[in-house]
Amino acid sequence: VGSAVGSAVGSFVGSAVGSFVGSAVGSAVGSLVGSAVGSPVGSAVGSAVGSAVGSAVGSAVGSAVGSEVGSAVGSAVGSAVGSLVGSAVGSAVGSFVGSAVGSEVGSAVGSAVGSFVGS
């Protein structure tokens, strides 16, 4: 009877502890991975959007004011817009990837820790 009760209690405690530890580890790893992935993706998207916006604004302003002024204004506006868009996209992609990776790592760590503590 003691063996059966001990095994059941150990399994329950191990599962609870493993889940808690796994969740914490998964969250930390997910955050690191998400940040690493999100930053370059956001930067690339922001560059592309900024370039397109800058070109369009520069062309419109340049027609009205002149080539030199239009180019400078378009570049500045494009850079600002690209930075905003890139940051938003990078953050979203990083969060998605980090969450997926963190969940997998947390689950694996939680399972291992739970099994060890439960024993």
Side-chain angles (χ1 to χ4, degrees):
V1 172
S3 177
V5 169
S7 179
V9 169
S11 179
F12 175 76
V13 170
S15 180
V17 170
S19 179
F20 177 75
V21 170
S23 180
V25 170
S27 182
V29 170
S31 181
L32 288 174
V33 171
S35 186
V37 170
S39 184
V41 168
S43 185
V45 170
S47 258
V49 170
S51 181
V53 169
S55 181
V57 170
S59 180
V61 171
S63 294
V65 177
S67 187
E68 292 296 315
V69 173
S71 180
V73 169
S75 180
V77 170
S79 181
V81 170
S83 179
L84 288 174
V85 170
S87 180
V89 169
S91 180
V93 169
S95 179
F96 176 76
V97 170
S99 181
V101 170
S103 179
E104 288 298 315
V105 170
S107 180
V109 169
S111 183
V113 169
S115 180
F116 177 75
V117 171
S119 296

